[in-house]
Amino acid sequence: MGRPLAERLRPQTIDEYIGQSHLVGPDGVFRKFLDTGNVPSFILWGPPGVGKTTLAKLVATHLNRPLYTLSAVTSGVKDVREVIESARKHSLFQPTTSFLFIDEIHRFNKSQQDSLLGAVEQGIVTLIGATTENPSFEVISPLLSRCQVYILRSMEDDELQQLLDRAISKDEELRKRNVRVEQREALFRFSGGDARKLLNILDIIAAATEGDITITDDYVTQCLQQNIALYDKNGEQHYDVISAFIKSVRGSDPNAAIYYLARMLAGGEEPRFIARRLVILASEDIGLANPNALLLANACFDTVHKIGMPEARITLAETTIYLATSPKSNSAYMAINEALAFVERDTTNRPVPLHLRNAPTKLMADAGYGKNYKYAHDFTDNFVYQEFLPESLAGKTFYHPNVQNQQEQKIAERINRLWGDKYK
């Protein structure tokens, strides 16, 4: 068949683009980009196969501007500088700004991202980044602050159906095969909202079939059994294995946790993604039962960034076992959720008690700001009984210590000793 179906069907205009109606619909921001030509640097954040690369190409093509493309997996600082220099030379002869598209920008390290800053700030290039990871974690703040972030969503079944219909009716190769779709559940399930994966599956089915093609759930499953790995870091198994890993650590089973860690690493999962999950686990599921867990998880996160694979597997394993065998408590997680839920539904503008307010001016001091505030360190045990909540919330409890573990039993005892019946 030559070129893959995904390439043969790549949209050539914005009207051919399927999905992301919140961005490319009649009132979408990308329509405004194309109408006005005013395009800021931006980052496209979303799962694989939802059209990030295609959207970048469509913008550049429609506006007739140069598009330089780099992959963060294979490009270094030298490559970035060469592209920027080419864009600089172009700007000397043409008034338009070039686009620089960086796929998987989350894989660029700090020095690589730093090398982009000057060109973006000076307007030499308009940066378009594509990432499957939260850019808040992976893109340096100075660069992130100069970019708009647009979130792309997995494709819904009706959008996958549009893509399927287009492939069958428009692609010259498939039209010769008289494709008939009798069942689509397995086709869409294995696609997992990924347009490219849907088209790749059609390629696999076409290659495995002679003559006319009839698509059923059983036939799709049969064709894919030999073609899709047991662990697919971009697909459904990705989320299943991660879920099992998290629940094994939470459930204090180090053997299961290590098994799923090995599944992820063997499947090519990004080690920094795993390290980030361990930091979240340390806060959400271990918390105050063992505060050292968060320290170790943070150290793991830093170490994985510094040394990379394959050595990082040892640090990840050490931290996984430590967290899995630690006592568990979600009291901090529950406390902030309870407080946020209360604040979000609380329509009362509850004033902060006067004695807790700062008094930077004489007028505020005369109004009673800060008056009668008691400085805790002036008292025995660095504590003095006074009200900190708004008066109307006195005695309201959000944090409930999990007294089933030693660490929080001590916390509960201290709270009771200091505050008596106030927070019972």
Side-chain angles (χ1 to χ4, degrees):
M1 284 193 180
R3 289 191 307 150
L5 179 59
E7 284 301 315
R8 302 199 302 269
L9 279 186
R10 190 180 290 277
Q12 300 303 307
T13 68
I14 199 77
D15 292 323
E16 294 179 1
Y17 190 92
I18 296 174
Q20 317 308 329
S21 57
H22 61 296
L23 297 177
V24 304
D27 298 320
V29 66
F30 278 81
R31 292 280 180 175
K32 296 174 182 174
F33 288 167
L34 302 187
D35 290 342
T36 65
N38 296 322
V39 185
S41 291
F42 61 88
I43 293 173
L44 299 171
W45 171 28
V50 294
K52 297 187 289 294
T53 302
T54 297
L55 202 50
K57 290 181 176 179
L58 287 176
V59 171
T61 301
H62 183 92
L63 297 177
N64 195 27
R65 297 187 194 174
L67 176 67
Y68 298 94
T69 301
L70 292 175
S71 169
V73 176
T74 57
S75 303
V77 172
K78 180 175 178 289
D79 301 292
V80 174
R81 288 174 177 161
E82 287 177 354
V83 166
I84 290 172
E85 185 57 31
S86 297
R88 190 193 310 276
K89 289 177 181 177
H90 175 270
S91 66
L92 296 176
F93 302 100
Q94 298 290 337
T96 57
T97 303
S98 301
F99 289 108
L100 170 55
F101 176 70
I102 299 181
D103 196 19
E104 298 192 81
I105 193 171
H106 60 277
R107 291 181 180 266
F108 260 8
N109 60 33
K110 184 178 183 300
S111 63
Q112 290 168 310
Q113 293 185 38
D114 281 337
S115 67
L116 293 167
L117 266 178
V120 173
E121 288 175 336
Q122 297 164 33
I124 297 170
V125 295
T126 297
L127 174 65
I128 304 176
T131 177
T132 56
E133 301 291 337
N134 187 334
S136 299
F137 294 118
E138 303 295 351
V139 179
I140 59 174
S141 296
L143 190 57
L144 189 62
S145 67
R146 290 161 176 79
C147 297
Q148 299 291 323
V149 176
Y150 299 109
I151 300 174
L152 279 69
R153 305 163 182 160
S154 295
M155 297 187 80
E156 302 289 343
D157 281 359
D158 61 331
E159 294 166 338
L160 291 173
Q161 184 66 55
Q162 291 179 51
L163 184 61
L164 178 61
D165 292 341
R166 178 180 291 175
I168 293 171
S169 62
K170 301 294 184 183
D171 182 67
E172 292 296 329
E173 297 292 337
L174 290 183
R175 286 172 64 183
K176 298 174 185 175
R177 306 293 297 277
N178 189 29
V179 179
R180 187 171 72 256
V181 181
E182 293 186 355
Q183 296 172 313
R184 64 174 194 173
E185 190 275 332
L187 192 61
F188 288 1
R189 174 164 50 83
F190 282 114
S191 300
D194 183 327
R196 184 171 55 247
K197 187 169 290 185
L198 173 65
L199 298 178
N200 288 346
I201 291 172
L202 289 176
D203 265 342
I204 291 170
I205 293 171
T209 310
E210 293 185 4
D212 293 351
I213 299 172
T214 300
I215 295 177
T216 65
D217 291 346
D218 286 343
Y219 190 57
V220 170
T221 303
Q222 178 186 331
C223 287
L224 295 184
Q225 280 177 343
Q226 302 302 317
N227 292 282
I228 291 184
L230 290 176
Y231 180 93
D232 175 1
K233 75 170 189 169
N234 292 331
E236 182 179 330
Q237 284 278 339
H238 165 76
Y239 300 104
D240 290 344
V241 175
I242 288 167
S243 176
F245 173 71
I246 292 168
K247 289 170 182 173
S248 298
V249 174
R250 181 182 295 141
S252 299
D253 187 335
N255 294 298
I258 281 291
Y259 166 74
Y260 289 117
L261 174 63
R263 284 275 299 271
M264 288 190 287
L265 293 175
E269 183 57 77
E270 170 61 63
R272 292 178 297 180
F273 172 81
I274 302 172
R276 207 161 46 242
R277 290 306 320 176
L278 289 169
V279 172
I280 296 168
L281 275 163
S283 296
E284 179 179 341
D285 294 300
I286 297 168
L288 293 164
N290 179 10
N292 286 331
L294 182 56
L295 299 178
L296 183 64
N298 267 308
C300 171
F301 185 82
D302 290 340
T303 302
V304 168
H305 274 67
K306 289 173 183 174
I307 68 174
M309 289 292 285
E311 291 81 0
R313 78 191 191 283
I314 307 167
T315 309
L316 289 167
E318 176 187 352
T319 308
T320 295
I321 293 170
Y322 184 85
L323 298 191
T325 55
S326 284
K328 305 297 189 294
S329 173
N330 68 346
S331 60
Y333 170 78
M334 297 300 291
I336 188 59
N337 284 353
E338 186 176 336
L340 282 171
F342 178 86
V343 168
E344 287 169 1
R345 67 174 181 266
D346 185 26
T347 58
T348 305
N349 184 19
R350 303 178 191 271
V352 173
L354 279 177
H355 65 280
L356 297 183
R357 303 185 197 183
N358 287 329
T361 68
K362 183 177 184 301
L363 179 63
M364 296 169 84
D366 291 342
Y369 283 35
K371 186 178 181 181
N372 297 324
Y373 169 66
K374 300 171 184 174
Y375 185 58
H377 296 288
D378 289 339
F379 296 84
T380 303
D381 202 16
N382 302 309
F383 173 81
V384 58
Y385 196 101
Q386 60 185 325
E387 185 59 64
F388 292 95
L389 280 167
E391 184 178 355
S392 56
L393 290 181
K396 176 71 176 173
T397 304
F398 295 104
Y399 168 56
H400 306 279
N402 179 355
V403 295
Q404 295 179 13
N405 61 74
Q406 274 189 334
Q407 187 69 27
E408 286 195 272
Q409 174 66 44
K410 293 177 182 177
I411 293 173
E413 290 171 358
R414 176 169 170 78
I415 290 174
N416 291 336
R417 177 167 57 83
L418 298 178
W419 293 101
D421 293 334
K422 181 178 175 66
Y423 290 118
K424 289 287 188 181

